[in-house]
Structures are given as structure tokens and as C-alpha cells.
């Protein structure tokens, strides 16, 4: 049951997001104009842990949802920037901690029914504190949080950001299970 695309036209575009109308034939439905959000830059997130098993999180307000919540460091790769280098840069800018080891955990399409937003999620270890966060607009607080507290934050809804929820849940589940002897 594969949809067939006959054409597409851009409705809006910026360096952050593009809105397209795709002329598609949906099996059992017929031809429709389907709205598609295209993201011109690669999206990255990171679960950052230290030798004590703590997680580096940022607490911030998101004006779109009007909510405060805990998040993992995240961001976009600049044009022609390697996603591994982009997440290392983002972690340092947002937290004031310079990554040591950067390991890709997983990749996923965040909202595949309407967007090409593709995330790469990393596990970062061996960080060195280099000072205050460079980007003061990113977080009200930056804290190392215990695993028990991370689980409490996830289950209580205090990690409302989807990419953060996905990265933390993946790390706590499949990523660690796959590494057990």
C-alpha cells in the first residue's frame, strides 16, 4: 500500500522549516494534497552521562506549549556540519560541558506521517566542565540528575519534549539491554 507522489510545491520556506503540498494518490482514498513539513537541517539529541551514572539535563520553558520541562541537549547541524560534531557543539553551548566520547545510539523519523524530520540520538560520556553555558537562551538550569530521578521525571510528565523523552527512554531500555553480556 504505497502512496504515489505526482508533484509537490513549496508553500513556505525558511532555514528552520519548509511547508510543502504534495499531490499524492492514497490507495483507497484517491488523489489529495498532503501537507508535508520538511526540515532542511539534521536534528540531533544526546543523553549525556557521567561516571556516577548521572544524566546531564537542562530545564527550560517552551513558549509554544507554555510548559516548563527537563530536556536533553539537542539541536540542528549547520549546513555541511557532521551531525556528530553538531551534537558535541550543542552540548557544550547549552550546558558548559565539553563532550569526550560521542556515540550514535539510534536514528528515527519523529513524525513520519507528515514530516521528514530525522533525528540522530547520541550517548555522550567523558565530559569536562569548561564554564557557563554559551547560549543563555537555552536553559534556566543545567543539572546532573540521578537515574532514579530521571525515571521519576519521565513517568511524571516532567520531560514533555518528545525527542528528549525518546532519547532517555531509548537509552534506559534498548540501548543498555543490547550491551548486557
Amino acid at each position: 500500500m504505497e502512496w504515489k507522489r505526482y508533484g509537490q510545491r513549496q508553500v513556505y520556506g525558511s532555514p528552520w522549516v519548509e511547508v510543502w503540498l504534495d499531490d499524492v494518490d492514497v490507495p483507497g482514498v484517491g488523489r489529495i494534497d498532503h501537507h508535508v513539513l520538511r526540515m532542511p537541517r539534521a536534528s540531533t539529541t544526546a543523553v549525556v552521562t557521567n561516571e556516577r551514572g548521572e544524566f546531564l539535563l537542562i530545564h527550560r520553558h517552551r513558549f509554544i506549549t507554555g510548559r516548563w520541562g527537563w530536556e536533553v541537549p539537542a539541536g540542528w547541524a549547520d549546513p555541511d556540519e557532521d551531525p556528530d560534531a553538531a551534537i558535541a557543539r550543542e552540548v557544550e553551548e547549552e550546558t558548559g560541558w565539553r563532550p569526550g566520547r560521542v556515540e550514535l545510539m539510534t536514528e528515527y523519523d519523529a513524525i513520519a506521517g507528515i514530516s521528514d524530520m530525522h533525528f540522530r540520538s547520541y550517548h555522550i560520556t567523558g565530559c569536562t566542565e569548561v564554564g557557563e553555558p554559551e547560549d543563555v537562551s537555552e536553559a534556566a538550569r543545567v543539572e546532573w540528575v540521578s537515574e532514579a530521578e530521571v525515571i521519576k521525571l519521565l513517568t511524571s510528565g516532567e520531560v514533555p519534549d518528545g525527542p528528549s523523552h525518546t532519547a532517555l527512554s531509548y537509552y534506559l531500555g534498548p540501548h543498555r539491554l543490547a550491551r548486557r553480556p
Side-chain angles (χ1 to χ4, degrees):
M1 199 168 94
E2 189 172 327
W3 296 16
K4 183 175 182 184
R5 181 172 43 206
Y6 291 97
Q8 58 185 352
R9 68 180 171 89
Q10 188 173 6
V11 177
Y12 171 80
S14 76
W16 297 277
V17 66
E18 299 170 354
V19 180
W20 291 75
L21 276 178
D22 285 11
D23 174 14
V24 295
D25 185 9
V26 181
V29 175
R31 280 179 75 164
I32 63 167
D33 282 334
H34 190 283
H35 288 84
V36 178
L37 299 174
R38 292 199 167 85
M39 305 300 168
R41 298 188 282 174
S43 300
T44 60
T45 62
V47 173
V48 181
T49 61
N50 64 18
E51 66 282 350
R52 294 181 304 280
E54 297 170 317
F55 294 71
L56 186 60
L57 299 179
I58 61 176
H59 193 252
R60 65 172 300 162
H61 182 262
R62 291 291 185 176
F63 83 95
I64 295 170
T65 59
R67 293 182 66 184
W68 283 91
W70 290 96
E71 298 182 9
V72 298
W76 282 324
D78 290 330
D80 300 322
E81 182 181 26
D82 178 70
D84 294 23
I87 194 58
R89 174 183 49 75
E90 290 286 348
V91 168
E92 186 170 335
E93 288 175 1
E94 293 180 7
T95 70
W97 288 82
R98 180 170 294 144
R101 184 169 183 255
V102 177
E103 171 195 11
L104 181 65
M105 283 194 307
T106 191
E107 298 184 52
Y108 64 94
D109 297 317
I111 45 179
I114 194 167
S115 177
D116 67 356
M117 178 179 268
H118 184 79
F119 272 90
R120 287 176 180 87
S121 188
Y122 295 86
H123 180 216
I124 292 179
T125 56
C127 291
T128 305
E129 188 172 18
V130 293
E132 293 296 314
E134 293 174 32
D135 191 344
V136 295
S137 69
E138 291 288 346
R141 294 181 358 227
V142 175
E143 294 183 16
W144 288 100
V145 178
S146 72
E147 181 174 314
E149 185 63 22
V150 167
I151 292 169
K152 188 187 303 182
L153 293 171
L154 283 164
T155 59
S156 67
E158 294 180 71
V159 181
D161 173 63
S164 294
H165 205 286
T166 301
L168 289 166
S169 297
Y170 185 85
Y171 175 82
L172 291 167
H175 182 72
R176 290 199 317 193
L177 286 172
R179 296 187 177 320
R180 285 190 179 164

